[in-house]
Amino acid sequence: MDSVVVVGASLAGLRAVEALRGEGYDGRIVVIGDEVHPPYDRPPLSKGLLTGATDLSAVTLRQRPDLAVEWRLGERAVALHAADREVLLDGGRRVPYDGLVVATGATARRLPAVPEGLAGVITLRTLDDAITLRRELAGRPSVVILGGGFIGTEVASSCRTLGLDVTLVTADPLLARALGPLSAGAAARAADHGVTVVHPATVTEVRGHDRVQEVVLGDGRTLPADVLVVAVGAVPATGWLRDSGASLDNGLICDAGLGVVGLPGVVAAGDVARWPHPAFGGAPLRLEHWTNAAEQAVIAARRLLHGTAAGPCAPVPSFWSDQFGIRLQGVGLPALADETRVIEGDPAGDRFVAEFFRTGELVGAVVAGAPRALLAYRRRLTHPQRVPAL
Amino acid sequence: MHVKLDTQNCQAYANCLLTAPEVFDLDEESGIAIILQENPPENLRAVVEEAVRSCPVQALILEG
């Protein structure tokens, strides 16, 4: 293998490059990224970057100086010609590869009821999105947030840190995927910190001429809004792979070792990849966690260099969220649970430990203020087939 | 193999402890990471490398 192309100048893309070099690959590496920024860290975009606790310069991911990468930043991959082993760029240039890492991540989901291009309406996914939002928040707006997942609640928390009026509108209970029936605790915490939570509610119309003025809810109520943050999840960035021959179904379908099904010489990592996790019954999973992107990149790089001998991808899913003065941390897949037990503390408080079960088997755990407690759960969720890599 | 911690940078995420408890612990008071073995044995390389990668603020540095 003489030439590896990585599409996606992301955390996963950078970690894949580091892993390729770490494994001794000394051929050409080209990284294509549609943003002009070098790989950066996303978690601060909804938190410290908005509140001012994190400098813009601090979100750029540190790079080893000896990676020898040809960066193609600000260039968009628009198609994959797998038979010719070429990536087609916007503008018509072709980039040949022997091995390809797909790390294009995901893009913010849009809502049909929310018009594109109306000033003050913002989705938060990229660094440029975060810079735009930060600039808007500096004008002391009243903020409406659509969506009660991690991004919606973290932005709400950041806005309250800035002392802004915040209304959070959500169809599902707050943090329902991470907390299941414990989401009432998250709602209580948000309310304690001055967030008006409107639930269950949907948005049917966004009004305003040049910029957003008010949001109309399904029951006819209207909410005034100077800024509307749409945080209703992400969709995998697979549009450029439409005619590639790859299987696309809520992500790019991969085998257990992150090889892209049907495309020799192609692997995937991060939010874009959907693969069968052996520890969770082999059902295809797609995770949007920071730790997952970092770990999958290494496994994908090894798969590219060593084939199926590199072994399956079976990391323990792991996530965190800093909001309203606490840090929620979890392992496993709480969203699978049919039973939840709080074994310590109060889910509305600063410290708790909760276990999540499916048909009696542990599938996840979430804590606040008790990170050490996760150690035992992580061990229990570690798949026996986990390869102690190398 | 030598592991170093930038204590100024550590934000007490505990991912290192969760990944490689043989090598990392947390200070009971501050939650800041503690390195139990600065020169861990070679048979722990895979988990130590994973722990270093798992740090959300890149506070861990692996040399050698």
Side-chain angles (χ1 to χ4, degrees), chain B residues 3-63:
Chain B
V3 194
K4 290 199 298 193
L5 169 70
D6 178 349
T7 49
Q8 295 298 307
N9 229 347
C10 176
Q11 300 285 319
Y13 283 97
N15 285 3
C16 54
L17 162 70
L18 299 178
T19 309
E22 308 90 336
V23 178
F24 302 99
D25 202 347
L26 304 179
D27 183 86
E28 285 291 345
E29 291 288 308
S30 64
I32 298 294
I34 297 169
I35 298 180
L36 300 174
Q37 304 190 60
E38 290 189 348
N39 299 292
E42 208 49 35
N43 65 343
L44 293 178
R45 178 174 287 276
V47 289
V48 172
E49 287 182 347
E50 187 180 340
V52 170
R53 283 194 303 271
S54 77
C55 178
V57 290
Q58 304 179 81
L60 291 168
I61 297 147
L62 185 62
E63 293 173 345

Side-chain angles (χ1 to χ4, degrees), chain A residues 62 295 327 329 372 386, chain B residues 11 13 25 50 58:
Chain A
R62 200 165 58 211
E295 273 313 293
R327 175 174 295 155
Q329 286 176 281
R372 198 184 297 271
R386 176 167 184 259
Chain B
Q11 300 285 319
Y13 283 97
D25 202 347
E50 187 180 340
Q58 304 179 81

Side-chain angles (χ1 to χ4, degrees), chain A residues 38-389:
Chain A
Y40 59 84
D41 205 26
R42 262 179 231 288
L45 303 189
S46 53
K47 305 187 269 284
L49 199 73
L50 298 181
T51 61
T54 305
D55 283 342
L56 195 53
S57 59
V59 303
T60 303
L61 289 166
R62 200 165 58 211
Q63 285 183 29
R64 273 169 32 196
D66 56 348
L67 292 176
V69 171
E70 294 174 38
W71 296 99
R72 300 274 185 89
L73 300 177
E75 298 201 56
R76 182 185 297 271
V78 293
L80 171 60
H81 296 160
D84 304 326
R85 296 210 178 197
E86 284 180 342
V87 175
L88 181 67
L89 300 183
D90 195 10
R93 277 203 290 164
R94 293 161 193 274
V95 185
Y97 65 85
D98 298 320
L100 175 68
V101 180
V102 177
T104 41
T107 55
R109 187 187 299 279
R110 316 244 164 206
L111 289 178
V114 179
E116 307 258 332
L118 191 63
V121 177
I122 294 167
T123 55
L124 180 54
R125 179 74 195 176
T126 66
L127 181 54
D128 289 341
D129 292 339
I131 291 168
T132 301
L133 180 55
R134 185 173 66 168
R135 193 172 54 227
E136 289 279 356
L137 297 182
R140 314 292 303 165
S142 69
V143 179
V144 173
I145 297 167
L146 298 186
F150 281 139
I151 300 299
T153 49
E154 287 172 3
V155 171
S157 173
S158 298
C159 288
R160 289 304 302 147
T161 298
L162 294 168
L164 305 175
D165 284 338
V166 183
T167 303
L168 192 153
V169 178
T170 178
D172 301 315
L174 235 53
L175 300 180
R177 284 183 57 78
L179 294 178
L182 309 183
S183 66
R189 186 179 300 111
D192 282 349
H193 283 80
V195 177
T196 304
V197 178
V198 183
H199 163 258
T202 54
V203 168
T204 54
E205 190 185 349
V206 177
R207 290 182 184 150
H209 295 293
D210 298 326
R211 78 171 283 129
V212 59
Q213 286 177 329
E214 63 180 13
V215 173
V216 185
L217 303 185
D219 62 3
R221 269 183 297 173
T222 60
L223 301 171
D226 303 317
V227 167
L228 174 64
V229 180
V230 181
V232 291
V235 290
T238 54
W240 67 289
L241 298 169
R242 200 176 295 116
D243 301 318
S244 66
S247 299
L248 304 176
D249 178 12
N250 181 27
L252 176 57
I253 301 299
C254 300
D255 62 28
L258 299 177
V260 172
V261 171
L263 300 183
V266 185
V267 297
D271 296 15
V272 74
R274 192 153 177 242
W275 93 110
H277 193 307
F280 294 94
L285 279 186
R286 191 176 69 78
L287 298 178
E288 296 177 354
H289 305 323
W290 185 96
T291 39
N292 185 62
E295 273 313 293
Q296 283 197 331
V298 177
I299 294 162
R302 288 179 181 150
R303 170 59 184 269
L304 202 55
L305 297 177
H306 310 309
T308 50
C313 174
V316 179
S318 156
F319 55 90
W320 78 88
S321 176
D322 294 323
Q323 50 178 279
F324 303 118
I326 65 155
R327 175 174 295 155
L328 296 166
Q329 286 176 281
V331 291
L333 298 172
L336 295 180
D338 57 25
E339 183 193 352
T340 304
R341 296 179 202 153
V342 179
I343 63 159
E344 192 186 323
D346 171 3
D350 294 346
R351 180 183 170 88
F352 71 88
V353 176
E355 302 174 335
F356 294 76
F357 300 88
R358 182 183 182 87
T359 57
E361 290 220 35
L362 185 79
V363 290
V366 178
V367 307
R372 198 184 297 271
L374 284 177
L375 188 54
Y377 297 115
R378 193 179 194 278
R379 281 212 183 101
R380 286 166 67 184
L381 290 165
T382 299
H383 188 255
Q385 281 183 28
R386 176 167 184 259
V387 180

